[in-house]
Amino acid sequence: MTSSDRLLKLIQTTPEIDLLLRSSFGFDIHRKHYGDGFRLASGPLEVIAGEPAGGAYFLCGEQNGRRPVVFASSEGEGGLLAEDLADALEIIIGLEWRDCLTFSGGGDVEIMQITAQHLERSRDKYNPDIDREAAQVATALSLRILPVTDLAIRLQAAASKSEPDYVVTDDDGQEFGLPFGEHVEPRHGGWH
């Protein structure tokens, strides 16, 4: 049993953590219907969770005792999220990671760090309990709470490795686009 398998089992058997991951962080282990037939050039994918916008999280084949995590959005972008599930969950609970990729200036780590800080302020404003919830999940799953700037660096490093081995393809052989967006901030009004 890999560390990823142990983490998934712990989420399944801890209802309050399962609920927090689903409701506050968009990681829903009960939403596995998306992604049938998706694969990588390097092999098959195992759907482990979905998210509210229709995207899915996948485990890749084991490499040196770890199973990398790939994300595929419902908009046709995807790539490597982290080297294993623990790293992925630290990013998921600590960072508005999808928007961090969207507003990355094509994958510029400094822009991603600035974006992460803007997103953190917005997240705290709209969900004042988010830090407590992240800490609760982290404690239950033995994860670390890291600064958003560090998480942005980790996310950029992982997503940068998406080509060639972690490019998601659908059952028709269509490749998903890489996860980095070209924008540096929202178009209408920038960061508030």
Side-chain angles (χ1 to χ4, degrees):
M1 180 180 279
T2 67
S3 63
S4 296
D5 296 326
R6 282 191 292 280
L7 271 173
L8 287 171
K9 183 75 169 165
L10 189 53
I11 293 166
Q12 290 167 351
T13 59
T14 315
E16 59 274 10
I17 298 305
D18 176 19
L19 178 61
L20 278 175
L21 282 169
R22 181 179 40 214
S23 62
S24 294
F25 303 104
F27 186 86
D28 186 350
I29 62 170
H30 307 283
R31 189 185 286 244
K32 296 181 186 178
H33 57 275
Y34 182 71
D36 290 337
F38 288 9
R39 57 179 294 107
L40 301 175
S42 58
L45 293 168
E46 175 189 346
V47 182
I48 56 168
E51 54 93 37
Y57 297 91
F58 301 88
L59 284 177
C60 304
E62 189 175 334
Q63 300 172 9
N64 302 322
R66 301 173 88 185
R67 294 188 70 190
V69 176
V70 167
F71 179 81
S73 77
S74 59
E75 294 86 35
E77 291 124 13
L80 185 64
L81 178 59
E83 296 294 331
D84 66 18
L85 184 56
D87 288 349
L89 287 169
E90 288 175 356
I91 289 170
I92 291 165
I93 67 170
L95 180 66
E96 294 291 328
W97 67 272
R98 292 206 49 207
D99 285 339
C100 195
L101 287 171
T102 298
F103 302 109
S104 68
D108 183 301
V109 72
E110 290 177 11
I111 291 172
M112 289 178 71
Q113 289 178 305
I114 293 166
T115 296
Q117 291 170 328
H118 285 292
L119 292 167
E120 180 181 38
R121 285 191 293 276
S122 176
R123 179 170 98 156
D124 291 346
K125 178 178 161 185
Y126 292 106
N127 184 353
D129 296 327
I130 197 75
D131 291 335
R132 181 187 54 76
E133 293 169 347
Q136 186 178 348
V137 171
T139 299
L141 301 179
S142 299
L143 303 173
R144 297 168 294 172
I145 297 289
L146 299 169
V148 293
T149 52
D150 293 352
L151 292 171
I153 291 168
R154 286 175 45 189
L155 176 61
Q156 192 273 347
S160 294
K161 296 179 192 172
S162 293
E163 278 189 309
D165 295 331
Y166 298 103
V167 174
V168 178
T169 59
D170 65 18
D171 49 5
D172 294 327
Q174 296 292 321
E175 288 187 357
F176 276 46
L178 295 177
F180 294 118
E182 295 300 321
H183 302 292
V184 295
E185 64 182 34
R187 292 182 194 186
H188 303 290
W191 299 113
H192 297 303

